[in-house]
Amino acid sequence: MERIASFCVNHDVLTEGMYTSRIDGDITTYDIRMVIPNGGVYLEPAASHTFEHLFATYARNTEYADRVVYVGPMGCRTGFYFLVRDLAPEIAIQIVRETMDFVLNFEGEVPGTTRIECGNYLEHSLEGAKAIAAKMKPILADWTAEKLVYPEA
């Protein structure tokens, strides 16, 4: 079997940021790395879960909603994947930056957190999601399309 693209990334040199993981036709997968892999600190499940709900809600309510394919956490708890169709890298970066502001400023009931709407509705942390966004905001502040390339070993 072929190794999948994400297993070919050198996680020993990867830092927080946003990277192009792969391009499959018109779909681009972005790797939004929020903690240093294998660094001993990982995204807390409740915080990550709430961040996912807010990220997906925001991205799917932008003017580019029809180009958002998927928003979801990495199993290793070090970040999120953001899949888009036919979207310029600069716009993808803009959406992710705006997501950080949306999460930081969010007040009220987190979308999709009732028992009917969510398969793990009791495990959420808005404060934890805000902490993730607060950490990522300065990291992504000057991110450009040129920085979307994974670091070399």
Side-chain angles (χ1 to χ4, degrees), residues 2-146:
E2 289 185 39
R3 286 176 68 204
I4 63 172
S6 61
F7 296 162
C8 296
V9 174
N10 184 343
H11 287 73
D12 285 339
V13 297
L14 195 54
T15 60
E16 295 103 332
M18 182 172 171
Y19 306 97
T20 301
S21 175
R22 58 186 294 144
I23 299 173
D24 299 291
D26 63 344
I27 296 177
T28 302
T29 300
Y30 291 102
D31 170 337
I32 303 164
R33 201 57 66 147
M34 299 172 157
V35 299
I36 295 172
N38 301 310
V41 175
Y42 303 96
L43 297 176
E44 294 183 2
S48 179
H49 191 190
T50 301
F51 189 91
E52 174 192 11
H53 280 236
L54 293 172
F55 186 179
T57 297
Y58 182 79
R60 291 187 175 121
N61 279 281
T62 67
E63 65 182 286
Y64 306 103
D66 61 333
R67 298 182 195 186
V68 174
V69 176
Y70 175 75
V71 172
M74 296 175 180
C76 62
R77 297 182 17 230
T78 62
F80 277 74
Y81 286 116
F82 181 42
L83 281 70
V84 296
R85 173 179 284 116
D86 287 329
L87 193 65
E90 295 81 7
I91 301 299
I93 294 167
Q94 173 189 325
I95 291 170
V96 172
R97 275 196 200 120
E98 290 172 358
T99 293
M100 300 309 155
D101 289 329
F102 177 74
V103 173
L104 277 170
N105 296 312
F106 190 85
E107 297 295 331
E109 187 176 324
V110 175
T113 57
T114 68
R115 181 180 180 95
I116 293 170
E117 299 166 310
C118 179
N120 191 6
Y121 77 104
L122 295 175
E123 188 173 50
H124 281 279
S125 170
L126 180 56
E127 290 309 309
K130 287 181 179 223
I132 293 169
K135 178 185 177 200
M136 289 304 295
K137 185 174 172 150
I139 291 168
L140 297 173
D142 65 348
W143 214 263
T144 63
E146 293 73 32

